[in-house]
Amino acid sequence: QKEVEQNSGPLSVPEGAIASLNCTYSDRGSQSFFWYRQYSGKSPELIMFIYSNGDKEDGRFTAQLNKASQYVSLLIRDSQPSDSATYLCAVNTFNKFYFGSGTKLNVKP
Amino acid sequence: KAGVTQTPRYLIKTRGQQVTLSCSPISGHRSVSWYQQTPGQGLQFLFEYFSETQRNKGNFPGRFSGRQFSNSRSEMNVSTLELGDSALYLCASSLGEWETQYFGPGTRLLVL
């Protein structure tokens, strides 16, 4: 079992819609959770992180964490074609970062 | 504040050669991690250095090694290159434990 699991996609949404990206993790001892965006040929860039159960909002992005279900999600409101990228979920477990394989998001104009 | 820098950005080597990649973290960051990214395997953790000490290591063969200097700059070395070592090598820096990692632009290595 992988430490972090993501659906590889692609996830296709129309421009202006809400994109919902999901991630599950295996270790209950995981402490912090991150979402990165990676454009093709580029390095990952941090979108946001979350440590506590519940929602955390930053602009059009909302991260949701449910430690009981070992589940992290990222919602992107008013999706734009420029949001088309691969989204990586990362989990910090005892100071080791584990990355999911990423979900490819396509936002269609 | 300048971001993470990596040199070189692109590298072509042949099998059997060795290569050294360099990473300069964000000023003030003491932790440097290295990752290998390939289309088939995704991002895989190589090792992490903090204050010149290797604190964590992933599941890579001993051909992959690294070090960190007193100014937090880090180098990664791969000896006896194999075709399968062709990948994007990413360096990420953070302030310390549990802190957010910020990635450099990566070094794209092609082994022929």
Side-chain angles (χ1 to χ4, degrees):
Chain A
Q1 183 189 4
K2 288 188 176 180
E3 288 83 5
V4 182
E5 300 266 11
Q6 290 182 260
N7 188 320
S8 61
L11 172 66
S12 292
V13 301
E15 184 175 356
I18 296 175
S20 178
L21 305 163
N22 304 314
C23 168
T24 58
Y25 60 96
S26 61
D27 196 323
R28 287 192 176 275
S30 299
Q31 297 284 338
S32 49
F33 308 86
F34 305 82
W35 283 99
Y36 288 84
R37 177 176 61 197
Q38 187 173 24
Y39 293 109
S40 181
K42 301 293 186 182
S43 62
E45 56 178 326
L46 179 73
I47 298 175
M48 59 193 307
F49 57 86
I50 186 167
Y51 297 144
S52 305
N53 272 330
D55 295 0
K56 180 181 178 183
E57 188 175 314
D58 184 1
R60 295 187 297 114
F61 299 96
T62 299
Q64 299 175 317
L65 173 61
N66 184 325
K67 288 189 176 182
S69 301
Q70 295 176 238
Y71 177 91
V72 193
S73 65
L74 179 70
L75 300 178
I76 306 174
R77 289 182 299 282
D78 188 25
S79 295
Q80 301 297 309
S82 58
D83 294 327
S84 297
T86 296
Y87 289 80
L88 301 170
C89 172
V91 173
N92 188 325
T93 305
F94 302 110
N95 206 35
K96 278 191 178 181
F97 271 77
Y98 297 95
F99 283 81
S101 55
T103 298
K104 187 174 175 62
L105 173 66
N106 290 328
V107 181
K108 298 181 177 180
Chain B
K1 196 182 261 192
V4 180
T5 58
Q6 291 186 247
T7 57
R9 294 293 310 279
Y10 304 93
L11 209 47
I12 300 176
K13 292 285 187 179
T14 56
R15 279 181 299 173
Q17 287 187 308
Q18 75 164 15
V19 67
T20 299
L21 312 181
S22 180
C23 170
S24 292
I26 293 171
S27 177
H29 285 196
R30 296 167 65 190
S31 171
V32 173
S33 297
W34 289 91
Y35 295 86
Q36 181 195 65
Q37 188 175 38
T38 58
Q41 298 295 322
L43 259 176
Q44 292 191 288
F45 173 73
L46 281 155
F47 27 66
E48 186 238 354
Y49 286 87
F50 182 84
S51 294
E52 302 179 65
T53 300
Q54 186 181 87
R55 200 161 55 171
N56 286 298
K57 190 176 189 303
N59 298 323
F60 277 80
R63 299 186 296 108
F64 292 83
S65 63
R67 59 177 175 168
Q68 187 180 33
F69 302 94
S70 57
N71 62 357
S72 294
R73 189 178 71 86
S74 177
E75 287 183 347
M76 190 192 94
N77 185 75
V78 188
S79 62
T80 320
L81 284 166
E82 300 177 0
L83 295 178
D85 296 333
S86 295
L88 177 66
Y89 289 89
L90 291 160
C91 161
S93 78
S94 65
L95 279 170
E97 281 190 323
W98 310 112
E99 299 286 344
T100 304
Q101 293 193 337
Y102 297 90
F103 284 87
T107 294
R108 192 166 293 279
L109 171 65
L110 178 61
V111 181
L112 301 175

